[in-house]
Amino acid sequence: MKLFLDTANVEEIRAAAEWGILDGVTTNPSLVAKEGRDFMEVLREITAIVDGPISAEVVSTKASDMVTEGRKLAKVHKNIYVKVPMTTEGLKATKILSGEGTRVNMTLVFSSLQALLAAKVGAAYVSPFIGRLDDIGQTGMEIIEEISTIYQNYSFKTEILVASIRHPIHVKEAALLGADIATMPFSVLEKLPRHSLTDIGLDRFLKDWAKLPKK
Ligand code: G3P
């Protein structure tokens, strides 16, 4: 499973990249706004840090404008995936962009039927928002299982990118379901290598080692 960071913060991306486990980055307009920096500048910096898929989202709502915006974003770097929202205009734009060879990440997906449509228009990635479904009392992870079954039934090549991850259990469940990618905030990614027994064990090893008589 590929692990992506869901952030527009270059310091977080740099730190995770050094751990050797970062496969890509997803951004969205809210994450970019949080940084308060020029989007294109941030995007270029990210491409210089991570050699993997980097999602950049369009903010237009009309298909023709999404296509223009998507083409511009795709030109920034060969690793850019254009994020397009799941609307009928978004479907039209995705069909055009993917037809031209631009890889599209269809976002704001909350049902397996929406995911079916994303695959039909040739999206490279589909981004179901798990945490936001949990927030409204619906088990988000259920749609990952459904999407996976639907994609297998028809041999769709669209990859399932589990988004809106809130904690490590989401990452584990996504992996158990065979999702292609999980994108998460830095606060979740940094929890993955941690275990209290690892800390206790290491502390004990080092203390025992220190007891050895020194020559
Ligand atoms: O980037 C899309 C998605 O991961 C957003 O997550 O936490 O805002 O629901 P969240």
Side-chain angles (χ1 to χ4, degrees), residues 165-211:
I165 279 179
R166 301 278 157 78
H167 46 70
I169 296 171
H170 277 153
V171 182
K172 181 173 82 172
E173 288 174 343
L176 287 169
L177 289 172
D180 301 285
I181 307 153
T183 191
M184 66 205 79
F186 185 77
S187 58
V188 174
L189 190 75
E190 70 175 351
K191 286 187 183 126
L192 302 186
R194 291 197 203 144
H195 198 289
S196 56
L197 290 178
T198 304
D199 297 340
I200 292 167
L202 180 60
D203 189 53
R204 194 178 299 159
F205 284 157
L206 295 178
K207 281 187 176 136
D208 288 342
W209 188 255
K211 285 181 207 155

Side-chain angles (χ1 to χ4, degrees), residues 19 22 55 65 69 72 78 105 114-115 156 174 176 180 189:
W19 302 339
L22 188 64
S55 291
D65 297 336
E69 216 185 321
K72 192 175 155 204
K78 63 177 173 52
N105 173 357
Q114 290 180 318
F156 284 123
L176 287 169
D180 301 285
L189 190 75

Side-chain angles (χ1 to χ4, degrees), residues 6 26-28 31 57 83 107 127 129 131-132 135 162-166 183 185:
D6 197 26
T26 51
T27 64
N28 66 38
L31 292 169
E57 189 158 341
K83 244 172 143 180
T107 189
S127 286
F129 278 28
R132 293 192 196 183
D135 289 345
V162 181
S164 186
I165 279 179
R166 301 278 157 78
T183 191

Side-chain angles (χ1 to χ4, degrees), residues 13-130:
I13 295 166
R14 208 167 270 130
E18 283 175 1
W19 302 339
I21 49 146
L22 188 64
D23 298 300
V25 174
T26 51
T27 64
N28 66 38
S30 304
L31 292 169
V32 174
K34 208 167 112 188
E35 297 305 310
R37 298 182 50 203
D38 177 71
F39 183 34
M40 288 298 178
E41 186 185 286
V42 171
L43 210 50
R44 282 191 196 95
E45 274 183 42
I46 298 174
T47 60
I49 303 168
V50 182
D51 185 19
I54 293 151
S55 291
E57 189 158 341
V58 300
V59 287
S60 309
T61 52
K62 267 180 62 190
S64 55
D65 297 336
M66 287 179 186
V67 170
T68 308
E69 216 185 321
R71 284 176 184 150
K72 192 175 155 204
L73 290 170
K75 275 199 192 112
V76 171
H77 193 274
K78 63 177 173 52
N79 288 343
I80 297 291
Y81 282 55
V82 176
K83 244 172 143 180
V84 173
M86 172 51 69
T87 58
T88 49
E89 291 297 299
L91 287 169
K92 277 197 263 179
T94 300
K95 181 86 182 167
I96 296 167
L97 287 167
S98 52
E100 294 172 355
T102 297
R103 289 148 314 179
V104 175
N105 173 357
M106 280 217 93
T107 189
L108 288 167
V109 167
F110 294 94
S111 79
S112 48
L113 285 175
Q114 290 180 318
L116 170 65
L117 303 185
K120 284 183 71 68
V121 289
Y125 292 163
V126 66
S127 286
F129 278 28
I130 297 314

